[in-house]
Amino acid sequence: MGSLIIAEKANVALRIATSLSEGKVSREKVGSSNVLRFQRDGREYTVLSLRGHIIELDYPEEFSQWKIDNLKDLIRATPVENVKVKGLAYALKKLDQENSEIIVATDFDREGELIGVETLRLMGRRDGVRRARFSALTKYDLVQSFGNLAEVDYNLAASAEARGIIDLMWGAALTRFFSVTTKRLGREFISVGRVQSPTLTILVERENEIRSFVPEKYYELNMVVNGVRFAYEGNPIKSREEAEKLLERLGKDGKVVVLERTEKERTIYRPIPFSTTEFLRDANRIGISVERAMAIAETLYQHGKISYPRTDNTVYPRTVSIKSIIGALSGSYLMKEIEHLTSNSRLIPSRGKVETTDHPPIYPTTPLKKSELKGDYFKIYDLVARRFMATVAENADILDTEYVVEKNGLRFKYTASKALRRGWMDYYPIVYYQEKIDPGFKVGDQPNFSDSKIDEKNTNPPPRFSQGSLIEKMEKELLGTKSTRHEIIQKLYDRGFIEGNPIRVKPLGMAMGESLILNSEAVARPEMTAKLEQEMDQIASGSKKKQEVVEDSRMILTTLLDDLINKADKINEKFYETLRLEKVVGKCPKCGADLIIDYRNDSRFIKCSGPSNDFFQYLPRTGKIEVTDEKCPVCGLFLIKVIRKGERPEMRCVDSKCAYNTSRETFGECPSDGGNLVLRRSRNFTRFIGCSNYPNCKVTLSIPQKADLIPTSKKCEVDGFPIAIFKFGKEQVEQCLNPKCKSRSSKR
DNA sequence: GCAAGGTC
């Protein structure tokens, strides 16, 4: 009888086996599960690799119908534990019988402890169980850990279990309540959760700050001396009158006197090693979404190109050998930069504030040739490799030179800047610094100035969150984990709450967010997570029982539900009121009431929401619609902007039949029956030219999708089809519309 | 058709 070792993931299982084995490691399948077998001290060991949690909580069958009536029973019900992997229970039973000892070797954290306990429970095992605790996957750490086995911490596991039960309870009850109350069921359901809802609230409140922001005008007085721009020391100036007076006192041109020249050195510190948050933020800065960046990192990790991508650690452990990584990279496409780095740096790595011991920061593990990866995969690998280089490079040293010049008692400043040592900035792909030219004045010089003028400016509202800055904010508020934050953000997109990057909150997100803030403050704020964290610590330390904490949470949720159910009608009303107001895109040109965009089946339209209901226009089926203030030069209605991916934004009259639109889409007479040849879109949205007499006339012409087509009044002499201008970016060709026309085949 | 947490 041997020992069964339970590992949380495949690579850990492999490290354990190769580190402890005294000979061969063999692979096998037990059912559908992967196991590794090896021997040590004459004992037989089997390592089972799991894939994270094996149990998923759900409510019993009887609660499958979403309705308000059973919500309070729902939260009192005990969730069912479903096994996520088919056949795993069988494999565990079998392995249990084969081994006298079980060693839980899952990750050394709360969820890891629970994954271990889930496994034991599924096996029905309580005796002969021990726990290996290790925080690095080196042979040394693993041998130490397996030589000093501890006991399974059932309290720690219970704390994670409480988290699971509470998350499901609140999530399911409130998701159901809001979905049923607003009658958004099926695919349209609206979700509520301990992490996603406070995240949505953060975005909603920022959106409101931006909307209620009143920009204030201010003025700046500037002048140009020797090609650089000097700014008045008294900037910003409150009023235009004051600014005009100063400008008058200064004059249009003439001489200034250089009063001061001061040199100051400063440092731009090299970045800290890549934690998941840092990585995602910078991946987002180079234009890759956090969801995609994480998926690519996972693939690169699976292929051994980079280290484990889910980590909070920002300090390289001693076991990560800087020298050998540098050595490896020197055989890669980064060869030249590495050469430069090794001769200009002491290669002592930077350190961040957070130091954990479970995984190292993200670093490249295999050198690559340029051709090995493409597109975003290359960009992500390159980012990781260059970040590593930046963390072992030297800081950048900057020399700022501040000049003060004077004219008629008015003082102006300019700061030149130059890198004395570029250090890490030579290797990292994100630009943080720009040199500013030095005019080279000495004190007492009297150079000429010109272009003195007043710039009118506006104060700016706070910026929208990007995916990257939102990830950072979530980390700061303790919302989610390194492995889930990007998923939560993606969930908000998928639910139709938010769009774009920088992130804008869509009408549905605003309606939901406002509703949560108003009615369910507890789940709209990060404090719920903070409180849960405290309680989990109490369960782990034994000062509270899991049942107590769950029961407590159940009471609070019951009270909240009572309140919500009482206010259900009002909540519904307010929700749709907000949704309606959020959809307002302008004022009705006929009665002045609000115009809204709405959808039915496949079509999309803009209509008046006022009582008279006298404005209605269909909108193009594709693209994002923005209503503009511009009047249509043809009919006097307003123009809309249609934004489509990969195409230049199109300005259209809101009236689809207005000549403003059709003149650009009508190319001339159809040679077959005299109808009009017009631009159409097929069901899959590709553009083509067709006869207006369709279906009687079936003339269709395919056109290059990337071309802008401009009608002319000319006719082709060869086949009689109209001639149009095909614009490809800056290039353009005037030719027959018919792609099969002989006049075209001669070209190209 | 609900959550968040692991991992692929």
Side-chain angles (χ1 to χ4, degrees):
Chain A
M1 294 287 268
S3 298
L4 174 65
I5 301 171
I6 311 285
E8 187 162 324
K9 46 190 167 250
N11 79 320
V12 175
L14 186 62
R15 295 295 273 272
I16 291 172
T18 49
S19 301
L20 300 186
S21 154
E22 288 158 339
K24 264 200 338 205
V25 174
S26 61
R27 280 167 198 276
E28 244 177 70
K29 282 232 165 187
V30 175
S32 58
S33 305
N34 293 314
V35 297
L36 301 170
R37 293 197 200 268
F38 67 90
Q39 286 191 354
R40 182 184 177 85
D41 294 337
R43 194 173 172 86
E44 193 67 44
Y45 287 85
T46 305
V47 195
L48 169 70
S49 41
L50 301 173
R51 268 146 51 186
H53 279 292
I54 60 176
I55 295 291
E56 195 169 38
L57 294 182
D58 201 358
Y59 283 113
E61 268 294 315
E62 60 204 275
F63 292 102
S64 59
Q65 207 191 49
W66 287 30
K67 51 183 181 186
I68 303 287
D69 303 352
N70 66 5
L71 282 185
K72 281 163 58 183
D73 296 330
L74 178 86
I75 63 177
R76 250 176 261 127
T78 309
V80 198
E81 296 185 355
N82 292 327
V83 183
K84 294 178 70 172
V85 188
K86 250 195 176 169
L88 184 63
Y90 158 80
L92 286 178
K93 283 263 153 62
K94 187 154 186 278
L95 289 167
D96 179 41
Q97 282 161 16
E98 284 172 14
N99 293 283
S100 58
E101 183 189 44
I102 312 284
I103 303 171
V104 174
T106 47
D107 287 3
F108 184 20
D109 56 28
R110 205 156 51 202
E111 299 294 332
E113 207 72 19
L114 177 56
I115 291 168
V117 169
E118 284 170 6
T119 315
L120 296 174
R121 219 179 269 163
L122 210 55
M123 288 190 300
R125 185 81 170 222
R126 189 105 203 194
D127 300 321
V129 178
R130 309 244 262 152
R131 173 71 158 124
R133 293 187 176 142
F134 46 87
S135 33
L137 296 175
T138 62
K139 184 167 181 168
Y140 175 83
D141 286 70
L142 289 169
V143 169
Q144 281 289 312
S145 156
F146 279 82
N148 296 285
L149 291 172
E151 297 304 315
V152 170
D153 186 344
Y154 284 91
N155 283 341
L156 185 59
S159 74
E161 236 184 327
R163 197 252 336 122
I165 296 168
I166 290 171
D167 278 343
L168 177 62
M169 186 164 88
W170 284 73
L174 293 176
T175 295
R176 287 178 181 209
F177 172 80
F178 281 102
S179 296
V180 174
T181 300
T182 59
K183 297 178 196 67
R184 294 184 63 99
L185 295 162
R187 272 168 52 210
E188 292 212 296
F189 80 92
I190 39 182
S191 54
V192 180
R194 173 177 57 84
V195 178
Q196 60 167 288
S197 295
T199 306
L200 178 61
T201 304
I202 288 169
L203 295 168
V204 166
E205 294 195 324
R206 176 59 57 91
E207 197 72 41
N208 283 334
E209 269 178 79
I210 292 170
R211 289 181 191 183
S212 60
F213 182 82
V214 184
E216 269 176 59
K217 280 204 168 89
Y218 67 91
Y219 302 87
E220 282 182 354
L221 179 60
N222 301 305
M223 62 154 79
V224 175
V225 191
N226 254 23
V228 300
R229 205 177 73 145
F230 275 73
Y232 175 52
E233 270 195 349
N235 285 347
I237 303 157
K238 285 225 172 81
S239 72
R240 179 167 279 280
E241 295 74 48
E242 200 183 327
E244 300 276 6
K245 257 188 225 163
L246 289 166
L247 181 60
E248 202 168 305
R249 183 164 147 200
L250 176 66
K252 277 270 163 226
D253 44 29
K255 282 191 189 315
V256 290
V257 182
V258 178
L259 291 186
E260 291 169 24
R261 178 182 186 278
T262 326
E263 288 187 351
K264 270 184 204 144
E265 277 191 40
R266 67 187 162 105
T267 305
I268 303 181
Y269 292 98
R270 56 212 183 134
I272 59 173
F274 254 166
S275 64
T276 304
T277 299
E278 289 276 323
F279 160 64
L280 289 178
R281 190 194 53 196
D282 278 9
N284 197 225
R285 280 187 180 151
I286 60 170
I288 300 171
S289 78
V290 292
E291 179 76 3
R292 181 160 168 77
M294 209 54 205
I296 291 174
E298 176 68 28
T299 307
L300 292 176
Y301 158 68
Q302 296 293 345
H303 288 79
K305 310 293 187 204
I306 64 172
S307 65
Y308 192 66
R310 290 182 276 271
T311 176
D312 289 319
N313 197 358
T314 53
V315 179
Y316 298 118
R318 239 180 280 152
T319 49
V320 169
S321 163
I322 304 297
K323 286 226 169 78
S324 58
I325 299 169
I326 290 286
L329 287 178
S330 67
S332 76
Y333 71 94
L334 291 163
M335 185 164 51
K336 280 201 176 140
E337 278 103 328
I338 290 287
E339 233 169 73
H340 189 265
L341 175 66
T342 47
S343 51
N344 286 288
S345 165
R346 293 162 296 161
L347 302 179
I348 300 164
S350 64
R351 305 165 60 91
K353 283 197 189 107
V354 181
E355 180 168 12
T356 65
T357 47
D358 46 355
H359 301 286
I362 311 168
Y363 65 92
T365 48
T366 309
L368 290 187
K369 291 193 196 86
K370 188 107 199 180
S371 55
E372 261 181 89
L373 293 173
K374 286 204 180 90
D376 288 348
Y377 285 80
F378 175 74
K379 278 193 200 164
I380 291 290
Y381 176 85
D382 191 56
L383 180 68
V384 170
R386 288 175 181 278
R387 176 66 164 225
F388 172 77
M389 291 162 69
T391 60
V392 298
E394 300 294 328
N395 291 327
D397 294 329
I398 307 296
L399 177 68
D400 288 335
T401 309
E402 188 181 292
Y403 291 95
V404 178
V405 300
E406 185 258 5
K407 167 83 195 284
N408 295 344
L410 302 177
R411 289 161 57 96
F412 289 75
K413 273 195 312 204
Y414 169 76
T415 307
S417 186
K418 158 172 107 170
L420 298 175
R421 178 176 67 177
R422 287 190 48 82
W424 65 277
M425 299 193 304
D426 276 336
Y427 315 105
Y428 206 51
I430 297 173
V431 179
Y432 289 82
Y433 169 76
Q434 212 162 13
E435 298 214 338
K436 284 173 152 178
I437 53 169
D438 192 335
F441 300 139
K442 292 189 292 290
V443 172
D445 281 357
Q446 296 198 15
N448 288 318
F449 78 91
S450 61
D451 278 340
S452 56
K453 65 166 190 264
I454 298 162
D455 291 318
E456 185 182 295
K457 300 222 163 144
N458 280 307
T459 53
N460 290 320
R464 289 210 155 74
F465 282 97
S466 69
Q467 295 178 358
S469 60
L470 183 59
I471 289 250
E472 247 182 323
K473 173 75 173 167
M474 289 171 77
E475 188 184 39
K476 204 178 282 166
E477 300 283 354
L478 305 176
L479 291 171
T481 71
K482 55 193 185 293
S483 315
T484 60
R485 288 185 198 112
H486 67 282
E487 293 173 2
I488 300 276
I489 294 177
Q490 192 55 42
K491 203 171 262 186
L492 296 179
Y493 281 104
D494 294 344
R495 297 278 187 267
F497 288 147
I498 61 175
E499 65 184 356
N501 188 25
I503 300 169
R504 286 181 310 272
V505 183
K506 292 173 79 174
L508 187 65
M510 291 304 285
M512 193 54 209
E514 301 283 8
S515 197
L516 284 168
I517 295 168
L518 223 58
N519 301 299
S520 181
E521 181 75 13
V523 76
R525 305 286 170 194
E527 282 76 51
M528 181 163 170
T529 295
K531 187 177 166 229
L532 186 60
E533 282 289 338
Q534 278 178 9
E535 287 170 330
M536 282 197 285
D537 287 345
Q538 289 171 325
I539 298 173
S541 70
S543 65
K544 261 193 184 174
K545 285 269 164 273
K546 176 185 98 184
Q547 266 320 317
E548 266 179 81
V549 170
V550 171
E551 206 46 56
D552 232 33
S553 183
R554 195 169 269 147
M555 296 269 288
I556 299 170
L557 179 57
T558 306
T559 314
L560 172 63
L561 267 178
D562 275 330
D563 180 47
L564 288 175
I565 292 168
N566 274 330
K567 293 193 294 191
D569 285 345
K570 278 193 185 149
I571 289 172
N572 183 43
E573 235 169 77
K574 176 86 180 142
F575 179 89
Y576 279 100
E577 168 75 3
T578 312
L579 195 59
R580 194 180 67 77
L581 287 175
E582 285 293 328
K583 282 185 178 169
V584 170
V585 289
K587 296 278 174 234
C588 175
K590 296 199 174 153
C591 68
D594 290 332
L595 284 180
I596 60 169
I597 291 178
D598 216 336
Y599 305 80
R600 195 155 304 143
N601 302 327
D602 263 357
S603 63
R604 175 161 64 165
F605 44 84
I606 185 166
K607 67 168 193 177
C608 173
S609 65
S612 58
N613 234 339
D614 51 3
F615 186 86
F616 184 97
Q617 290 292 342
Y618 282 106
L619 293 169
R621 281 180 302 163
T622 61
K624 184 174 145 48
I625 306 286
E626 271 176 24
V627 172
T628 74
D629 294 333
E630 268 180 76
K631 280 217 154 77
C632 172
V634 178
C635 71
L637 286 175
F638 54 92
L639 298 183
I640 56 171
K641 196 187 217 175
V642 188
I643 302 159
R644 299 187 179 97
K645 212 174 176 186
E647 292 178 30
R648 220 167 321 125
E650 183 197 2
M651 294 295 277
R652 293 178 62 87
C653 176
V654 66
D655 180 357
S656 53
K657 295 194 184 80
C658 173
Y660 183 83
N661 301 330
T662 53
S663 66
R664 283 174 301 148
E665 294 173 356
T666 309
F667 289 87
E669 202 176 294
C670 172
S672 162
D673 71 339
N676 275 325
L677 288 175
V678 291
L679 189 74
R680 302 244 188 248
R681 272 182 197 260
S682 73
R683 198 168 294 171
N684 63 0
F685 306 123
T686 49
R687 302 180 310 159
F688 66 96
I689 304 270
C691 178
S692 57
N693 288 337
Y694 181 86
N696 292 329
C697 174
K698 299 228 160 46
V699 168
T700 53
L701 307 170
S702 59
I703 52 171
Q705 293 302 312
K706 280 185 184 158
D708 275 343
L709 260 56
I710 303 161
T712 70
S713 51
K714 297 176 201 163
K715 230 181 208 181
C716 175
E717 286 173 7
V718 179
D719 64 0
F721 275 94
I723 285 181
I725 298 167
F726 290 61
K727 257 185 129 169
F728 301 89
K730 280 177 192 161
E731 288 177 36
Q732 60 177 58
V733 205
E734 193 175 295
Q735 59 184 6
C736 175
L737 266 182
N738 181 9
K740 289 178 189 142
C741 176
K742 292 209 173 97
S743 72
R744 278 176 62 168
S745 61
S746 62
K747 289 180 187 169
R748 197 180 280 261

